[in-house]
Amino acid sequence: MTIDYDVVIIGGSLAGRYAALTASQLRAKVALVEPTTNGAFNFVNAPYEFISHHALSHISNLAKQLGDAAQIGLHTSCADNSEKCQISVDIPQAMLYAHGVVSNLQEQHSPAVIAAQGVDVILGNGQFESSPHLSFAVNERTLRARNYLLATGSRPAIPEIEGLQRTGFLTIPQIWQARSRSTPPLQWVIIGGIPQSIELAQTLVRFGYDVTLVVEHPNILPDVDSEIAQLLCSQLEAEGVRVFTNTRVTQVRQIEDKKWLQVGDKAIETDEIVVARAQQPNIESLNLAAVDVKWNQRRLLVNDKLQTTNKRIWACGDVIGGYEFVNIAHYEARVALQNALFFPRLKVNYRHIPWAVFTNPMFAQVGLTEAQAKRGYSPDEVIVLRQFFKTLSAAQIRDETTGMCKLIVLRNGEILGASLFGAEAGELINVVAMAIAQKIKVNRLADLAPLCPSFSEIFEQAALSWSQQKLSRNLAWQECLESFFDFRRNSKF
């Protein structure tokens, strides 16, 4: 069989484009298959939805900051300075700003730019063929490669709730389109506990909407440190979001011009419903069954080398499950490509890969939580270091004192994980991620000598706290030894 490419990447996501460029830089002969919708190239939508959302979230944060400034006398555009200034946001203008951000990024990753890097970009919908040899058929072409990489992304999974389909709902990519209606929704109910649903709830409430968030899990997010999750939940509630945790929506009905939801034992009225739950992979049209690739409702099945049940087909990004995080998808793409193009020896290790919820303040996490660490190690070996943002001069200056840094370490100083909730958490978490990846112990964080004032000082404080605890433990141990020997000396035996 003639091999046309080293790797064929079936894309439709940012991870696919990143993988194609990475493979090209590794001097591989690579093809990128980009799907189309109704015959048109679908470059504008799914891959950049999260960028558009973050841009709108940034505007809502600025509006809140201006409102806070007005209340302390720093904003003087009110007709009467004795009045409380009301900061409103022009949603169409905000949408134009978000569209501009997306357009700038699209130019950097356009098909022309990717093709200029030596990637054979093919626009069209195709499927795998197993006979006479494994190949991928698209646009009446048969692409043959040593290996294939699936990076097709995912889409929202719709829950089976009585009356939901009949009543109607939106998914996160559709919400801002609702603003173009003649009577845009003022009340929103968001179903689901994923990072994007939490970010959306805060953004909408800061734009002045009435927002309810319904989460099935006991915490606002699963697998999150419960102490930090409570802080995040309290922040949303303080801003006006009604949060229902450990609660299910059992029924949806349309009554006149309103939608009604049965949320636990309460009936809630709303203008619009947003479904923001787990994703399901975009794989239906790929004919995977014919090439022995297995999957379930939520993800493609892969091993720890990101190889599917067909040893020549690999996968990365949210098509293999998990939250939609670009940094994680890029990490998986690098591992999968190294294994597909060279000797397959690399295994994914998510212990040092951070992730975040882009609220304000931000939540970020890497490694193990306190509960996970105490399940995996002896509880006596696990030490929890807490430092609060209110102790930082930078936080006081910027009036961003809400938050906490929680480091999980072993007695020998090895860092197992960290959870941060506060200003600059998205940048601070990278320091801990690097420390975990490089096996840097917590006491070395005291050697950073961070700028003052800066939020990085919180690590220096955490390292000093660990040293103090270690000294206290050593003193306690010495006292125990001294007591023991005193007893032996004074004993008749």
Side-chain angles (χ1 to χ4, degrees):
M1 180 185 71
T2 302
I3 298 296
D4 302 314
Y5 300 97
D6 295 310
V7 61
V8 168
I9 300 168
I10 295 91
S13 66
L14 283 176
R17 293 164 195 150
Y18 174 84
L21 290 172
T22 302
S24 177
Q25 291 166 1
L26 293 172
R27 304 303 177 94
K29 190 175 183 182
V30 55
L32 172 65
V33 180
E34 282 279 357
T36 58
T37 301
N38 298 325
F41 184 40
N42 189 29
F43 193 82
V44 176
N45 295 324
Y48 287 92
E49 288 158 358
F50 82 101
I51 293 292
S52 178
H53 172 71
H54 285 308
L56 291 166
S57 177
H58 174 66
I59 293 174
S60 74
N61 292 339
L62 291 177
K64 182 179 184 300
Q65 290 170 10
L66 287 173
D68 292 344
Q71 292 182 39
I72 61 173
L74 299 180
H75 187 274
T76 58
S77 64
C78 300
D80 181 352
N81 287 337
S82 64
E83 298 177 356
K84 180 179 177 181
C85 294
Q86 298 293 327
I87 307 298
S88 60
V89 177
D90 187 320
I91 300 295
Q93 289 297 318
M95 291 294 295
L96 284 175
Y97 169 76
H99 180 73
V101 172
V102 169
S103 297
N104 291 336
L105 291 172
Q106 284 176 347
E107 290 179 6
Q108 299 175 32
H109 301 91
S110 67
V113 169
I114 295 174
Q117 298 297 316
V119 177
D120 186 2
V121 180
I122 302 166
L123 309 182
N125 301 306
Q127 64 178 18
F128 281 101
E129 295 181 346
S130 59
S131 179
H133 302 286
L134 179 64
S135 60
F136 193 81
V138 57
N139 295 349
E140 300 183 354
R141 289 180 58 183
T142 300
L143 310 180
R144 299 177 179 87
R146 289 196 295 115
N147 287 293
Y148 302 82
L149 177 63
L150 293 173
T152 51
S154 62
R155 65 186 186 279
I158 309 306
E160 293 184 3
I161 299 174
E162 181 185 344
L164 180 63
Q165 296 283 358
R166 183 171 59 254
T167 303
F169 60 91
L170 301 175
T171 59
I172 288 181
Q174 301 168 329
I175 58 167
W176 301 109
Q177 300 172 12
R179 283 293 309 166
S180 61
R181 299 177 186 171
S182 56
T183 55
L186 299 179
Q187 294 176 304
W188 299 76
V189 171
I190 303 170
I191 304 173
I194 61 173
Q196 291 83 359
S197 67
I198 295 168
E199 296 162 1
L200 175 62
Q202 186 182 60
T203 299
L204 287 174
V205 82
R206 288 187 171 186
F207 278 143
Y209 298 115
D210 182 278
V211 182
T212 300
L213 176 65
V214 184
V215 180
E216 289 187 3
H217 314 292
N219 284 334
I220 196 169
L221 278 172
D223 301 322
V224 167
D225 182 271
S226 58
E227 193 174 5
I228 300 289
Q230 186 56 52
L231 286 176
L232 178 57
C233 186
S234 297
Q235 178 68 32
L236 292 180
E237 290 176 329
E239 295 192 29
V241 179
R242 287 185 299 278
V243 181
F244 291 88
T245 56
N246 208 23
T247 306
R248 296 186 60 189
V249 176
T250 56
Q251 187 181 38
V252 178
R253 296 181 63 187
Q254 180 87 37
I255 301 178
E256 296 180 349
D257 61 341
K258 289 287 187 178
K259 298 178 181 181
W260 287 82
L261 300 91
Q262 188 66 39
V263 179
D265 59 356
K266 293 180 174 61
I268 297 178
E269 175 189 82
T270 189
D271 294 323
E272 192 54 85
I273 299 169
V274 180
V275 173
R277 296 181 56 173
Q279 302 290 102
Q280 60 184 18
N282 292 325
I283 56 174
E284 285 75 14
S285 63
L286 299 179
N287 196 30
L288 294 180
V291 290
D292 299 321
V293 173
K294 292 183 169 54
W295 69 94
N296 59 30
Q297 202 171 28
R298 291 285 179 258
R299 63 186 185 90
L300 280 176
L301 301 181
V302 295
N303 59 21
D304 56 6
K305 296 180 180 180
L306 300 182
Q307 191 175 39
T308 69
T309 48
N310 184 315
K311 65 180 182 179
R312 291 176 57 196
I313 300 176
W314 309 73
C316 67
D318 47 303
V319 72
I320 63 173
Y323 295 137
E324 295 179 89
F325 292 126
V326 173
N327 65 313
I328 294 177
H330 287 183
Y331 166 71
E332 292 169 343
R334 293 193 297 271
V335 171
L337 282 173
Q338 290 285 342
N339 287 333
L341 295 174
F342 307 109
F343 188 75
R345 59 181 180 81
L346 297 182
K347 297 180 180 180
V348 287
N349 177 11
Y350 297 106
R351 183 70 65 87
H352 64 277
I353 306 298
W355 60 278
V357 182
F358 288 83
T359 49
N360 184 16
M362 183 185 291
F363 162 77
Q365 184 168 297
V366 67
L368 302 181
T369 64
E370 178 182 358
Q372 291 168 342
K374 289 182 176 178
R375 286 197 299 268
Y377 297 85
S378 169
D380 294 338
E381 286 294 311
V382 177
I383 299 172
V384 180
L385 303 175
R386 293 177 179 83
Q387 292 295 320
F388 296 91
F389 277 57
K390 64 184 179 182
T391 64
L392 301 175
S393 53
Q396 293 289 344
I397 292 168
R398 286 172 43 173
D399 192 26
E400 295 180 296
T401 55
T402 298
M404 180 174 71
C405 170
K406 191 172 181 180
L407 291 182
I408 313 300
V409 302
L410 292 178
R411 284 189 180 278
N412 64 3
E414 179 186 351
I415 303 173
L416 299 179
S419 298
L420 287 96
F421 178 66
E424 307 297 340
E427 299 296 333
L428 295 173
I429 201 69
N430 294 320
V431 176
V432 188
M434 178 63 72
I436 294 174
Q438 299 298 318
K439 301 186 183 305
I440 298 171
K441 294 190 175 182
V442 66
N443 60 301
R444 296 294 303 276
L445 295 180
D447 299 333
L448 284 174
L451 291 173
C452 181
S454 73
F455 286 90
S456 298
E457 291 180 273
I458 204 160
F459 296 130
E460 183 180 39
Q461 293 181 7
L464 292 174
S465 173
W466 181 82
S467 298
Q468 290 168 359
Q469 289 191 36
K470 183 178 180 182
L471 179 61
S472 298
R473 290 193 303 272
N474 289 340
L475 289 173
W477 177 243
Q478 290 175 12
E479 290 175 359
C480 287
L481 286 176
E482 290 173 2
S483 298
F484 172 74
F485 287 122
D486 285 341
F487 171 77
R488 290 293 301 270
R489 284 192 295 267
N490 297 326
S491 173
K492 295 180 180 179
F493 304 100

